[in-house]
């Protein structure tokens, strides 16, 4: 148990060191990017620093498995240089047996990490988008799924329009039994439209079987008009509606199952959200597998040499796994492979590969 605790402490110390380096690098690079992005706006250094601080947790969360892998590589190379593993094996303790307890400990640590960082990233991402829109002076648009209902908001210099529909098609550009509430910038709610169907076209909503109320009249119902087709201008695009749902980082892990169910009840596709849910659940397995893979690649006898080559192979293996994971994510989100296979395949394969390498270290 003493050896297990010793290795856990070494790995934790290396994680803290590598994490600190990456936080500093990411924060500095993001500040440079924010200053370039908002060079035309009156954004002060405090606002730039706040934007970078809000954006850094998401970037750090994305590379967390790589941070853990580099930490394990650092410990394994230092362990090999000091020949500690040779002493341990000569005492009758195999390297795979020594790593079992630290692996379980870091698997539990990974679960806690995901449970803490996931809601933190969701909240900071929402706040980052809000602060970014404020600096740009963009009123923007919003898409909300509530139960079985779909709510959209579009805004321009003349006012805002709130759109409500109990059902939408999977593209989000065709709404059924839809209501438009038009708010004037000065007079407030000025008109209401009810349509059997609304289709988003370039620059306009095309409404079919429309009843329109002018709420500035004394008796709106008496003055209501009916039309077969009405066109309303809009700055919404299919990409904006899709991207509103694509930002799954803004939805905490505990709320994702309910959000997926609400999306599907409203008629939207939820493949991307299902993929994100399974990837978040599989993240502890991936982090543990990458840590074990780094140990398996870098633990060797100091006299054998080749420490630089082993470090390079470990780094290349880490980036390759990231590429394969992202590629599998795209395949899962587009429905070309099952979501469970795309989300859990790379982490489980990484873990099995790491276990195979560690067992190969054991002679006999």
């Amino acid at each position: 148990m003493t050896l297990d605790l010793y290795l856990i402490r070494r790995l934790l110390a290396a994680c803290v060191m590598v994490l600190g380096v990456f936080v500093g690098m990411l924060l500095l690079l993001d500040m440079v990017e924010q200053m370039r992005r908002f060079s035309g706006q009156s954004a002060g250094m405090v606002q730039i620093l706040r934007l970078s601080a809000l954006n850094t947790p998401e970037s750090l969360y994305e590379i967390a498995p790589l941070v853990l892998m580099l930490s394990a590589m650092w410990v394994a190379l230092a362990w090999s240089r000091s020949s500690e593993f040779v002493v341990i094996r000569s005492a009758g303790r195999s390297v795979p047996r020594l790593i079992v307890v630290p692996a379980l400990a870091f698997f539990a640590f990974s679960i806690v990490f995901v449970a803490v960082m996931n809601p933190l990233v969701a909240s900071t991402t929402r706040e980052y988008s809000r602060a970014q829109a404020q600096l740009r002076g963009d009123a923007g648009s919003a898409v909300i799924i509530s139960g079985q209902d779909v709510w959209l908001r579009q805004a321009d210099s003349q006012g805002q329009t709130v759109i409500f529909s109990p059902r939408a098609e999977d593209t989000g550009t065709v709404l059924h039994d839809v209501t438009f509430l038009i708010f004037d910038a000065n007079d407030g709610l000025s008109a209401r439209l009810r349509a059997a169907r609304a289709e988003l076209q370039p620059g306009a909503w095309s409404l079919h079987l429309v009843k329109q109320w002018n709420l500035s009249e004394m008796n709106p119902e008496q003055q209501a008009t009916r039309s077969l087709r009405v066109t309303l201008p809009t700055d919404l695009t299919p990409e904006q509606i899709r991207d509103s749902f694509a930002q799954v980082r803004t939805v905490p892990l505990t709320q994702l199952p309910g959000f997926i169910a609400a999306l599907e009840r409203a008629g939207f596709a939820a493949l991307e959200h299902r993929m994100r849910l399974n990837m978040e659940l599989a993240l502890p397995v991936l982090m543990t597998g990458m840590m074990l893979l780094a140990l398996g690649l870098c633990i060797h006898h100091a006299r054998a040499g080749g420490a630089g080559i082993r470090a390079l192979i470990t780094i290349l293996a880490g980036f390759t796994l990231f590429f394969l994971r992202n590629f599998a994510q795209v395949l899962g989100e587009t429905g070309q492979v099952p979501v469970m296979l795309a989300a859990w395949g790379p982490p489980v394969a990484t873990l099995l590969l790491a276990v195979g390498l560690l067992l190969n270290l054991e002679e006999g």
Side-chain angles (χ1 to χ4, degrees), residues 59-205:
S59 303
L60 187 63
Y61 190 59
E62 291 288 343
I63 63 171
L66 184 60
V67 170
L68 188 57
M69 188 176 194
L70 292 176
S71 304
M73 182 187 73
W74 181 278
V75 171
L77 291 176
W79 203 16
S80 298
R81 284 196 302 269
S82 62
S83 299
E84 291 178 64
F85 87 99
V86 177
V87 176
I88 293 172
R89 292 189 63 180
S90 64
R93 188 78 174 270
S94 66
V95 173
R97 172 65 183 85
L98 176 65
I99 294 175
V100 170
V101 174
L104 294 176
F106 271 83
F107 179 72
F109 165 77
S110 301
I111 294 175
V112 174
F113 177 81
V114 171
V116 173
M117 285 296 295
N118 183 271
L120 176 63
V121 169
S123 60
T124 55
T125 302
R126 286 195 302 268
E127 186 60 29
Y128 172 74
S129 300
R130 189 180 301 113
Q132 203 175 38
Q134 288 176 353
L135 282 177
R136 288 175 175 171
D138 183 15
S141 58
V143 183
I144 300 174
I145 296 293
S146 177
Q148 298 183 4
D149 304 329
V150 181
W151 293 86
L152 296 91
R153 177 176 62 84
Q154 62 186 43
D156 53 33
S157 58
Q158 299 179 353
Q160 297 188 13
T161 301
V162 176
I163 306 169
F164 165 77
S165 174
R167 186 166 63 90
E169 294 186 5
D170 58 356
T171 59
T173 58
V174 178
L175 307 176
H176 299 274
D177 195 17
V178 58
T179 299
F180 286 76
L181 299 175
I182 301 175
F183 292 82
D184 188 82
N186 300 319
D187 301 330
L189 184 61
S190 59
R192 176 178 178 235
L193 290 85
R194 183 73 177 270
R197 185 172 182 269
E199 182 177 354
L200 181 61
Q201 297 178 348
W205 284 101

Side-chain angles (χ1 to χ4, degrees), residues 154-321:
Q154 62 186 43
D156 53 33
S157 58
Q158 299 179 353
Q160 297 188 13
T161 301
V162 176
I163 306 169
F164 165 77
S165 174
R167 186 166 63 90
E169 294 186 5
D170 58 356
T171 59
T173 58
V174 178
L175 307 176
H176 299 274
D177 195 17
V178 58
T179 299
F180 286 76
L181 299 175
I182 301 175
F183 292 82
D184 188 82
N186 300 319
D187 301 330
L189 184 61
S190 59
R192 176 178 178 235
L193 290 85
R194 183 73 177 270
R197 185 172 182 269
E199 182 177 354
L200 181 61
Q201 297 178 348
W205 284 101
S206 179
L207 280 61
H208 302 271
L209 300 178
V210 185
K211 184 177 181 180
Q212 184 171 357
W213 294 266
N214 187 353
L215 300 181
S216 61
E217 301 286 344
M218 293 295 295
N219 191 341
E221 182 63 34
Q222 186 178 5
Q223 302 294 329
T225 60
R226 295 181 181 272
S227 307
L228 291 177
R229 183 173 179 179
V230 172
T231 300
L232 288 179
T234 182
D235 57 356
L236 280 175
T237 63
E239 290 76 17
Q240 287 176 321
I241 296 177
R242 184 184 65 245
D243 291 345
S244 296
F245 298 110
Q247 295 178 1
V248 292
R249 285 294 190 206
T250 61
V251 184
L253 180 61
T254 54
Q255 298 178 14
L256 261 178
F259 191 78
I260 290 170
L263 275 176
E264 293 177 339
R265 286 197 303 267
F268 287 87
L271 266 179
E272 186 170 358
H273 295 74
R274 287 189 176 278
M275 186 67 193
R276 176 57 61 184
L277 174 62
N278 283 277
M279 287 183 67
E280 293 294 312
L281 295 176
L283 185 57
V285 178
L286 179 66
M287 294 176 68
T288 305
M290 292 187 74
M291 181 198 73
L292 294 178
L293 183 62
L295 292 176
L297 288 172
C298 294
I299 290 179
H300 68 293
H301 199 288
R303 294 179 181 178
I309 298 298
R310 289 177 177 270
L312 179 61
I313 292 174
T314 303
I315 294 173
L316 291 177
F319 283 109
T320 302
L321 289 172

